[in-house]
Amino acid sequence: MVDLVSQYQHLKSEIDQAVLEVIGSARYINGPAVKEFEKNLATYLNVKHVIACANGTDALQIALMALGLEPGDEVIVPSFTYVATAEVIGLLRLKPVMVDVDPNTFNLTADIVKAAITPNTKAIVPVHLYGQSSDMEDILALSKKKGIAIVEDNAQAIGAEYTFKDGSVHRTGTMGDIGTTSFYPAKNLGCYGDGGAIFTNNDDLAQKIRMIANHGQNKRYYHVMIGVNSRLDSIQAAILNIKLRHLDAYSSARQQVATTYDKAFEKITELKTPARQANSTHVFHQYTLRVLNGQRNELQLYLKERGVPTMIYYPVPLNEQKAFAPFIDKNLHLEYTKMLCDQVISLPIHTEMDSETQNYIIESVKSFF
Ligand SMILES: *Cc1c(COP(=O)(O)O)cnc(C)c1O
């Protein structure tokens, strides 16, 4: 699905040197590389504060903790997402209110959110799934009117841009109260282990987030609240400092692969190529097709036999997962989420795709139909 080895080979000498420097410095935790990366990422995203942490799941958990919610408060979250988005809500004894997504963009819309708001709704977590923004202008307007916080799960869309009606352009993850991301190796900006970050333009939230990620202390050994231990290693930060410089080029490479797939599949009526959200760029963390004729599993098997890896993100709606049973009405039926779980298939997409490989994938898909 990805080719992280080739990507590393292009940056090998630079990365090896940076990693060895950290090892030689012995500043493994909170070293200068971490501070530098937080600053560099804040500049890239045009956001006031970036707080690095241990992974994207922690980032979501810390973001929700910083909002000071009470047990039982409702948090609206799409059911069609990676488990982490909803898991942290349950972990904090908040109530995940799982909602459907738009079947074309795979993302939340303001109408879907609006229908789920109750007097107990305290937060909304839009996920910018597969690499493009949710319809943030309308969701933000709604949340502002109702006084509900927004935490953007930006683990899959780092680098994507959303344009508001007034012409202003914002990176995903910087539009709500808090944004989060993951640097898991296969993410668009991946390190060589685990990593994550939290973004905000709000000074008070930033201070609280930093404190929570560091055992709730504002001064060493003075703990003002219950926190967690969530840190980005200096070695990972050193790697990310280098890779961040290439992120826009990486996004372009992915977009090029996506355009080639789009053109190749446009005439196959059994397939629906990924729709683009109006006003958002798409950085294609995944290239995800919908198989409309009920043969998704057969297609996956057929491709596997030809040596083409594919993935199903995600095969089961979160509201139907056993782990969430205590939180969810068992009669809840989310029509599009259910349908998408049966239709979606993601093809290999990454920064190192050569045309020979891509043509082989395309011809394999075409020969199935
Ligand atoms: C990867 C991912 C996460 C979690 O990130 P980790 O670093 O693996 O903890 C959260 N949400 C979404 C949508 C993701 O894709």
Side-chain angles (χ1 to χ4, degrees):
M1 295 296 288
V2 293
D3 182 357
L4 299 175
V5 174
S6 304
Q7 196 191 55
Y8 163 64
Q9 291 301 334
H10 293 303
L11 305 173
K12 186 177 183 320
S13 59
E14 210 183 344
I15 286 185
D16 290 2
Q17 193 193 335
V19 168
L20 289 173
E21 253 169 48
V22 174
I23 295 173
S25 77
R27 302 182 69 177
Y28 309 131
I29 300 289
N30 264 326
V34 176
K35 289 281 155 279
E36 194 188 326
F37 175 62
E38 288 180 341
K39 212 172 105 229
N40 290 342
L41 187 58
T43 303
Y44 175 84
L45 294 170
N46 192 21
V47 71
K48 220 164 155 190
H49 306 277
V50 169
I51 299 101
C53 67
N55 57 66
T57 308
D58 274 9
L60 285 161
Q61 182 185 329
I62 294 163
L64 288 171
M65 288 171 78
L67 294 176
L69 308 184
E70 302 287 336
D73 283 351
E74 293 176 10
V75 180
I76 295 175
V77 61
S79 177
F80 191 62
T81 178
Y82 182 55
V83 64
T85 322
E87 189 178 30
V88 295
I89 300 169
L91 186 72
L92 295 172
R93 295 289 146 203
L94 307 168
K95 183 173 162 38
V97 174
M98 293 192 189
V99 296
D100 221 342
V101 291
D102 178 285
N104 294 311
T105 62
F106 311 110
N107 277 330
L108 289 188
T109 65
D111 285 342
I112 292 169
V113 172
K114 196 172 177 183
I117 290 177
T118 77
N120 298 323
T121 307
K122 294 291 151 59
I124 304 162
V125 187
V127 181
H128 305 309
L129 202 72
Y130 302 152
Q132 66 181 342
S133 182
S134 307
D135 189 10
M136 287 306 287
E137 180 140 27
D138 291 349
I139 293 173
L140 284 165
L142 181 64
S143 72
K144 206 164 184 184
K145 202 167 92 189
K146 303 269 183 185
I148 300 170
I150 301 252
V151 175
E152 299 173 68
D153 182 347
N154 196 36
Q156 301 191 3
I158 195 154
E161 289 179 325
Y162 182 86
T163 305
F164 286 78
K165 290 194 189 90
D166 67 3
S168 63
V169 179
H170 295 261
R171 299 262 191 207
T172 49
T174 67
M175 298 176 273
D177 298 277
I178 308 178
T180 67
T181 201
S182 162
F183 305 121
Y184 181 79
K187 297 280 154 87
N188 288 29
L189 179 61
C191 59
Y192 296 164
D194 274 310
I198 307 157
F199 336 126
T200 184
N201 283 307
N202 179 312
D203 297 343
D204 295 336
L205 281 175
Q207 200 190 6
K208 218 165 152 192
I209 288 164
R210 219 172 257 294
M211 224 151 58
I212 292 168
N214 186 23
H215 296 294
Q217 58 192 337
N218 54 4
K219 208 170 110 189
R220 206 163 198 190
Y221 305 125
Y222 290 79
H223 305 272
V224 298
M225 62 201 298
I226 297 293
V228 296
N229 172 26
S230 190
R231 302 184 281 237
L232 180 71
D233 290 348
S234 301
I235 286 178
Q236 302 303 341
I239 293 162
L240 287 164
N241 269 322
I242 294 164
K243 290 189 71 179
L244 178 60
R245 296 202 289 270
H246 299 274
L247 181 57
D248 284 342
Y250 289 161
S251 298
S252 303
R254 289 172 177 274
Q255 285 160 350
Q256 216 162 347
V257 175
T259 306
T260 305
Y261 277 145
D262 278 348
K263 284 204 192 101
F265 302 140
E266 69 186 353
K267 294 210 177 71
I268 303 177
T269 53
E270 294 92 340
L271 288 180
K272 191 174 182 318
T273 54
R276 310 298 198 266
Q277 167 69 48
N279 310 319
S280 175
T281 60
H282 199 321
V283 294
F284 285 99
H285 175 59
Q286 300 298 339
Y287 184 88
T288 304
L289 293 162
R290 286 170 55 192
V291 182
L292 304 176
N293 69 347
Q295 291 196 308
R296 191 268 315 270
N297 293 348
E298 289 82 348
L299 172 63
Q300 184 174 41
L301 197 64
Y302 179 87
L303 292 173
K304 190 178 170 202
E305 280 162 3
R306 275 151 194 78
V308 176
T310 58
M311 289 294 282
I312 310 300
Y313 304 113
Y314 299 92
V316 183
L318 289 185
N319 61 292
E320 293 181 18
Q321 302 269 6
K322 192 174 167 204
F324 291 103
F327 302 98
I328 303 291
D329 177 354
K330 68 175 184 303
N331 296 317
L332 177 67
H333 178 75
L334 301 174
E335 182 188 354
Y336 294 128
T337 298
K338 186 83 184 151
M339 179 186 83
L340 293 174
C341 287
D342 293 334
Q343 290 185 343
V344 291
I345 185 165
S346 299
L347 299 182
I349 189 163
H350 52 81
T351 59
E352 313 300 315
M353 180 80 82
D354 58 62
S355 53
E356 196 185 331
T357 309
Q358 193 174 13
N359 284 339
Y360 180 76
I361 297 168
I362 287 169
E363 289 316 312
S364 300
V365 172
K366 278 183 167 170
S367 67
F368 176 80
F369 291 103

